[in-house]
Amino acid sequence: MTQTADIVIDTAAASPGARMDAWLAKFNNALAANDPQAVASLFVSDSYWRDLVAFTWNLKTVEGPDQIAEMLAERLAETAPRGFAPSEAPSESDGVVEAFIEFETATGRGDGHLRIKADDDGEDRAWTLLTTLQELKGHEERNGFSRPMGAVHGNDPDRRSWAEKKDDEEAELGTAVQPYVLVIGGGQGGIALGARLRQLGVPSVVVDKYDRPGDQWRSRYKTLCLHDPVWYDHLPYLPFPDNWPVFAPKDKIGDWLEFYTKVMEVPYWSKTECTSASYDEEAGRWTVELVRDGEKMTLHPTQLVLATGMSGKANVPTFPGADVFAGDQHHSSRHPGPDAYVGKKVVVIGANNSAHDICKALVENGVDTTMVQRSSTHIVKSDSLMEIGLGALYSEQAVKGGMTTKKADMTFASLPYKIMHQFQIPLYDQIRERDKDFYARLEAAGFDLDFGDDESGLFMKYLRRGSGYYIDVGACERVADGTIKLAHGGVDHLTENSVVLADGTELPADVVVYATGYGSMNGWAADLMGQEVADRVGKVWGLGSDTTKDPGPWEGEQRNMWKPTQQPGLWFHGGNLHQSRHYSLYLALQLKARFEGLDTPVYGLQEVHHLS
């Protein structure tokens, strides 16, 4: 076994930089010696190594020295990592030294984040390590000093202009040239991934059923705005301008996505709907049937990405009596806004984000509105979330303090999911104390509140189940003062003109809005490829935390997101704008490596424990 104890340092007296350098020297020595056990001995017992593609060709977190040694026994020699070093001066807080780091592997260059602390014997050992692949050697993006010239100075046998070349490329795609990657879904996720693939030179096309990029946002109810602040929402390569509103209206986002698609030259087919897809195991490619602007066509991509939204298919319940209800019924995803419902009675089933937004717009237009709360909801005020929950990483103050989007993303990603709730609980304790009068008014109105199964708040609910919360931008005051009427319990049945709850309460209704959330993304796979493929993949989203709507066993990463699945050639991409930006890089690099024929042995391919 490699000896790593020959580098001795007084952790109590040494500077953060000296402590980090000493630990990294031991780490590099153990890696160079190809000694997994020596590497693992440099980690505390409750340690976490989160790898995004660099070592595992997967999104994988290994926990504790035994799992670290097991992963390295399989991956260390082939990965050939080296040159781990701080990319910025380390810092220290509460005995923990942390630093952004950089490194190389046999196939690529990576960035990461490291936290070390003194162990029981006084020796520094790693607590958390994040390693991420940033580029593939020999296949780097053409930017900075290597950006394209654009103009040709001198003789060029190709006399076509930029516009002519672009027109020819678009005409050939799908006919003379098959896309290596087909991305189904042209919202922020599909467009961000399309931009990444374009910059990496991977032949691909993003398809969407709407008429124009951004129509996914334009088609939603007219008062919809982002609840996440602008600093959290930048897309790759092209951040929002400095005068962009903190919370962007949905039509402004739609226009930005259309602009982004054009400027980033994302190959994008609008008015295109996929009708079926089947995988040829022997040929290693898909046959996908589409209808593009009314014309049938067939594509044969090698890789298929479902970027149809993290939430999956709309969950529309079927209640007894729905067929006799005389009014309008629709899911929140199809809600047009309040204008058509003035003078009517509206019952909204659900009490999360969409329900609150819809109810707020309705009552502000004088519409008699009742919200039906079927289970407790986590509420956090927008300004409290911005200041306490996101302010250290994603705010104007953070930017002024030197925080970049990439550094914020890396810091956020460096917290393993297994312990993330421990960092979230104190934040929500602060929020609960700060806004105690607000919560008291809601409870006095009969609203059923929660802060998650373990009091860890909004983001853990989002990661675990993607539902059960509302970021308050004003609707809660309308609930508290009774402007938005509140009812509780499950729906028993509908009559011709009412909603009847399980306790017999009858709510007169001309309109019923089902703000009832969404199912797993593999529902889209079932529709397109059949239930057998959907079941082979299993449930999409969630961590296996064994909390409400997130059944165990523990997964360690988001189920089936941005990484290989049990179905060859099938990938899932989605989430909010932050996740679309950050994780599109790792998905694009995995696809690029396969396009170039690199060896990509996947460590720890996720098992299937739940079908939906």
Side-chain angles (χ1 to χ4, degrees), residues 525-526 529-538 567:
M529 307 160 207
Q531 193 61 49
E532 182 180 349
V533 171
D535 289 348
R536 187 178 306 149
V537 170
Q567 170 59 55

Side-chain angles (χ1 to χ4, degrees), residues 170-185:
E170 291 175 354
E172 292 175 350
L173 184 62
T175 54
V177 177
Q178 285 292 313
Y180 180 76
V181 181
L182 174 62
V183 181
I184 301 176

Side-chain angles (χ1 to χ4, degrees), residues 269-349:
W269 291 356
S270 57
K271 303 179 184 178
T272 303
E273 192 159 4
C274 296
T275 57
S276 69
S278 59
Y279 187 73
D280 187 327
E281 300 275 354
E282 187 173 339
R285 69 175 191 177
W286 294 89
T287 296
V288 183
E289 304 295 339
L290 309 94
V291 178
R292 184 185 182 192
D293 201 11
E295 294 187 10
K296 293 182 179 180
M297 63 183 306
T298 304
L299 293 180
H300 295 287
T302 302
Q303 311 288 345
L304 188 61
V305 180
L306 290 185
T308 47
M310 176 278 288
S311 298
K313 294 184 64 178
N315 179 23
V316 183
T318 302
F319 295 125
D323 55 334
V324 302
F325 182 71
D328 178 13
Q329 301 176 70
H330 56 265
H331 188 263
S332 58
S333 59
R334 298 185 177 276
H335 184 67
D339 295 353
Y341 305 122
V342 174
K344 298 181 182 296
K345 294 182 181 296
V346 180
V347 173
V348 178
I349 311 298

Side-chain angles (χ1 to χ4, degrees), residues 320-570:
D323 55 334
V324 302
F325 182 71
D328 178 13
Q329 301 176 70
H330 56 265
H331 188 263
S332 58
S333 59
R334 298 185 177 276
H335 184 67
D339 295 353
Y341 305 122
V342 174
K344 298 181 182 296
K345 294 182 181 296
V346 180
V347 173
V348 178
I349 311 298
N352 296 330
N353 261 338
S354 294
H356 278 84
D357 282 350
I358 289 169
C359 287
K360 179 175 182 288
L362 287 167
V363 298
E364 287 175 348
N365 283 268
V367 179
D368 184 315
T369 305
T370 301
M371 177 191 294
V372 178
Q373 186 180 30
R374 300 178 298 164
S375 58
S376 63
T377 308
H378 171 55
I379 303 291
V380 59
K381 296 183 70 173
S382 177
D383 56 351
S384 298
L385 178 64
M386 286 179 59
E387 181 178 333
I388 297 174
L390 296 173
L393 297 178
Y394 302 99
S395 67
E396 199 67 32
Q397 291 77 13
V399 171
K400 296 301 182 185
M403 181 62 69
T404 65
T405 301
K406 180 177 178 180
K407 287 167 62 175
D409 288 349
M410 295 292 282
T411 303
F412 203 73
S414 73
L415 285 176
Y417 290 131
K418 189 67 170 287
I419 59 174
M420 186 177 286
H421 67 285
Q422 298 173 17
F423 291 81
Q424 295 291 306
I425 290 171
L427 301 180
Y428 284 92
D429 285 345
Q430 292 180 49
I431 290 172
R432 184 153 35 189
E433 177 61 26
R434 166 177 162 155
D435 297 327
K436 59 183 178 182
D437 292 341
F438 165 76
Y439 291 121
R441 291 196 306 275
L442 274 178
E443 290 184 314
F447 195 86
D448 190 4
L449 291 167
D450 73 62
F451 277 76
D453 287 13
D454 53 8
E455 310 295 308
S456 59
L458 184 143
F459 199 70
M460 295 312 300
K461 266 201 165 187
Y462 172 72
L463 292 171
R464 291 165 172 171
R465 54 184 281 192
S467 66
Y469 51 82
Y470 169 57
I471 302 173
D472 179 44
V473 291
C476 285
E477 293 295 345
R478 302 288 186 160
V479 174
D481 67 16
T483 306
I484 296 174
K485 300 174 184 177
L486 189 63
H488 292 90
V491 175
D492 185 79
H493 67 278
L494 275 62
T495 70
E496 184 178 356
N497 54 15
S498 69
V499 175
V500 181
L501 303 183
D503 65 358
T505 300
E506 187 166 0
L507 305 173
D510 304 301
V511 180
V512 178
V513 180
Y514 297 111
T516 46
Y518 299 83
S520 172
M521 283 179 71
N522 70 351
W524 294 114
D527 286 352
L528 193 61
M529 307 160 207
Q531 193 61 49
E532 182 180 349
V533 171
D535 289 348
R536 187 178 306 149
V537 170
K539 182 178 175 66
V540 180
W541 203 260
L543 302 172
S545 62
D546 206 23
T547 57
T548 303
K549 296 189 178 181
D550 184 30
W554 177 246
E555 304 284 0
E557 292 286 339
Q558 288 287 349
R559 293 185 188 94
N560 285 314
M561 293 298 296
W562 315 295
K563 61 184 179 180
T565 69
Q566 292 285 350
Q567 170 59 55
L570 180 61

Side-chain angles (χ1 to χ4, degrees), residues 30-45:
L31 292 173
N34 196 25
D35 191 336
Q37 291 296 334
V39 176
S41 72
L42 299 174
F43 289 76
V44 298
S45 59

